[in-house]
Amino acid sequence: MYRESTLSNRLERGEIDGFLLGDRGYPCRPTLITPYPEPEPGPQRRFNVAHCRTRARVEMTIGLLKARFQCLRHLRAVNPTSYCHLNRAVPILRLYFDEAADHRAHLRLSLPSIMSLIAAVRLESDHGWEREIEVLVFLHWLAHAASYRVVSQAFNIPKTSVYNIVHRMSKAIMGILRRVICFPTGDDLEAVGAGFAQLAGSPAFSRAVGAIDGCHIRIKPPANNSHCYFNRKLFHSIQLQAITDHRGKFLDVFVGYPGSVHDARVLRNSPVYAGSLYPPAGKCILGDGGYPCLSAPICLITPYREPVQNPVQARFNSKHSRARNIVERAFGMLKTRWRCIFFKALEVSPAFVPEVVACCAVLHNLALVNGDIVEPEDEEDLDDGLPDPHNLEARVGEHVRENLAAAVSAPNIPVPALHEHDYL
């Protein structure tokens, strides 16, 4: 135990000048001096006497501690890896072990989704609360957006433990984010394109492999620069930018920009734009009118601005809206599942909010994979907003949009009348 302590390591490295005194149960080292095991008369015996008198202070301190806290006299040695077990008498844990119960009412996830999360996260610790406990505490905190004190009473564990569990679990979930939220490739990419073509009702939209949009997350006004977080909807927020597939599964999330920043600027500063990460060549993603229409560095197709000039543009906008609406639906599902997080200002530090929101996105994807789907209870705000006045790229992708609009209006089957005559 001594060799694993921080103090011994600092003494060995020379960070602390000095040494410790220990009894014969410890090995004698340059930094840990023990008495002679069989002292000879003379200097060795006098050393042992002086050593014992000095070291007796630690024995006296331990004695005072045991006298003040009588329970310490009856402690038994325990295995540090298993001293915190599931207490099935706690009501919330009884619910967890009841397979017939509706876990979504209290934890917002079905039992298969919870088990999937427990299997996915890795907590680097050889002691403390079991992984199931930590997952349930974190889910209960997310589901109710409750204070650490309320969660500690629900699980009958200390408030400081709840705080540590919440932050440790959020770090663990962030560790699996890139495995759960990722871009499709190969056959999966073609399946996403086919899904968007089905949503739009036009095979021309098989080129679309994602839908992008932004969402405002309410926060408490920060102590510094709170005006930067005050958005055009008149509340303080940070922004979540997300790309989803045809099922509403998140393919990419970028969260943390203040609410006053325009969607187009958030996009330009996101990794997916700066690194041209998605979509691949020959594919595009769909966005609302608040984004620029682009062909590079990423291909982003937006609808024509109203009023449209002809039926071709009107038909394209209708198909585009039907396909792009899936990202609005994804935000609706996210907010319905974690309504205590998204429908009121988060009672946590603004610096911790992006991590909490990213964890909700990871859990959203895990739930969809396990067939745990919630229907949106509130319609998303479909206000596209105004285009960024400082954006000089808004027309770069117009030729791509024109080609896509023409493909949407082109007939899917040959017109019989065209075959009634011979053409030179």
Side-chain angles (χ1 to χ4, degrees):
M1 184 180 295
Y2 167 75
R3 290 194 298 270
E4 298 174 356
S5 67
T6 302
L7 180 59
S8 68
N9 291 332
R10 295 185 65 184
L11 285 169
E12 293 289 346
R13 292 193 298 265
E15 296 178 7
I16 300 177
D17 186 18
F19 57 85
L20 301 176
L21 300 179
D23 60 23
R24 293 187 179 93
Y26 293 95
C28 188
R29 295 166 173 260
T31 56
L32 178 60
I33 307 303
T34 60
Y36 288 99
E38 297 179 359
E40 297 179 358
Q44 292 187 2
R45 183 165 294 176
R46 287 196 297 273
F47 172 82
N48 276 14
V49 171
H51 184 285
C52 181
R53 288 176 178 173
T54 306
R55 195 181 56 80
R57 291 186 177 276
V58 69
E59 301 285 354
M60 181 177 65
T61 302
I62 293 175
L64 292 173
L65 186 66
K66 289 183 177 181
R68 183 177 297 274
F69 302 101
Q70 295 292 324
C71 62
L72 296 178
R73 296 180 178 273
H74 307 290
L75 286 179
R76 297 178 296 174
V78 296
N79 183 352
T81 63
S82 59
Y83 71 85
C84 299
H85 284 295
L86 292 172
N87 181 4
R88 298 181 182 233
V90 175
I92 190 68
L93 297 182
R94 284 206 306 269
L95 172 72
Y96 168 68
F97 286 106
D98 184 2
E99 296 185 1
D102 181 12
H103 297 79
R104 294 200 299 184
H106 298 275
L107 301 174
R108 311 307 296 163
L109 291 176
S110 65
L111 185 58
S113 299
I114 296 173
M115 299 306 296
S116 175
L117 176 61
I118 293 173
V121 297
R122 297 185 59 184
L123 300 173
E124 299 297 334
S125 177
D126 63 347
H127 64 282
W129 304 99
E130 293 185 359
R131 184 163 49 178
E132 291 88 347
I133 281 281
E134 302 210 353
V135 168
L136 295 177
V137 168
F138 182 74
L139 290 179
H140 189 274
W141 178 79
L142 271 187
H144 301 279
S147 65
Y148 298 129
R149 179 181 59 83
V150 171
V151 179
S152 72
Q153 292 174 349
F155 285 85
N156 194 26
I157 61 178
K159 184 173 68 173
T160 53
S161 294
V162 173
Y163 174 88
N164 293 332
I165 288 171
V166 166
H167 285 260
R168 185 161 57 245
M169 272 300 305
S170 67
K171 293 290 189 298
I173 294 176
M174 291 297 290
I176 65 171
L177 185 144
R178 291 304 168 198
R179 284 193 284 132
V180 179
I181 301 178
C182 56
F183 297 123
T185 57
D187 293 340
D188 292 337
L189 188 67
E190 297 303 321
V192 173
F196 273 102
Q198 184 176 5
L199 289 176
S202 171
F205 277 86
S206 61
R207 289 186 57 186
V209 290
I212 186 171
D213 202 2
C215 174
H216 287 274
I217 312 299
R218 293 177 181 268
I219 62 170
K220 296 188 301 182
N224 300 320
N225 301 319
S226 62
H227 63 280
C228 295
Y229 294 84
F230 196 70
N231 62 36
R232 61 186 175 85
K233 300 181 181 181
L234 306 182
F235 61 86
H236 293 85
S237 68
I238 64 169
Q239 295 204 51
L240 164 64
Q241 175 187 280
I243 301 175
T244 68
D245 67 5
H246 62 290
R247 299 169 298 174
K249 181 180 177 182
F250 292 119
L251 305 180
D252 180 73
V253 292
F254 180 60
V255 58
Y257 258 72
S260 63
V261 179
H262 195 277
D263 287 353
R265 184 180 174 189
V266 176
L267 172 66
R268 290 198 300 271
N269 287 277
S270 65
V272 70
Y273 181 93
S276 302
L277 302 181
Y278 194 78
K283 303 293 184 179
C284 67
I285 57 177
L286 308 176
D288 62 27
Y291 290 104
C293 187
L294 299 171
S295 59
I298 65 173
C299 188
L300 170 59
I301 303 303
T302 60
Y304 291 98
R305 299 296 297 183
E306 297 288 346
V308 295
Q309 299 177 3
N310 53 59
V312 172
Q313 294 184 359
R315 190 176 297 111
F316 172 82
N317 277 10
S318 174
K319 303 291 186 182
H320 182 283
S321 177
R322 290 172 59 182
R324 192 194 61 82
N325 187 59
I326 188 62
V327 68
E328 305 284 357
R329 178 177 171 80
F331 284 146
M333 289 190 289
L334 186 71
K335 289 185 175 185
T336 298
R337 188 182 299 275
W338 309 110
R339 55 187 313 110
C340 290
I341 294 290
F342 290 97
F343 284 108
K344 68 177 183 178
L346 276 173
E347 295 291 331
V348 297
S349 166
F352 186 45
V353 173
E355 194 168 304
V356 174
V357 175
C359 288
C360 291
V362 171
L363 298 177
H364 168 87
N365 277 13
L366 284 177
L368 290 186
V369 169
N370 286 278
D372 181 9
I373 300 174
V374 295
E375 292 299 324
E377 295 179 2
D378 297 88
E379 290 294 330
E380 277 296 296
D381 183 5
L382 300 178
D383 178 17
D384 293 347
L386 298 175
D388 187 357
H390 303 291
N391 179 29
L392 302 178
E393 306 168 324
R395 303 174 66 88
V396 172
E398 278 203 346
H399 67 285
V400 180
R401 182 169 61 188
E402 293 288 347
N403 293 336
L404 189 57
V408 169
S409 294
N412 295 329
I413 58 175
V415 179
L418 297 179
H419 297 279
E420 294 178 359
H421 306 279
D422 295 329
Y423 296 91
L424 297 178

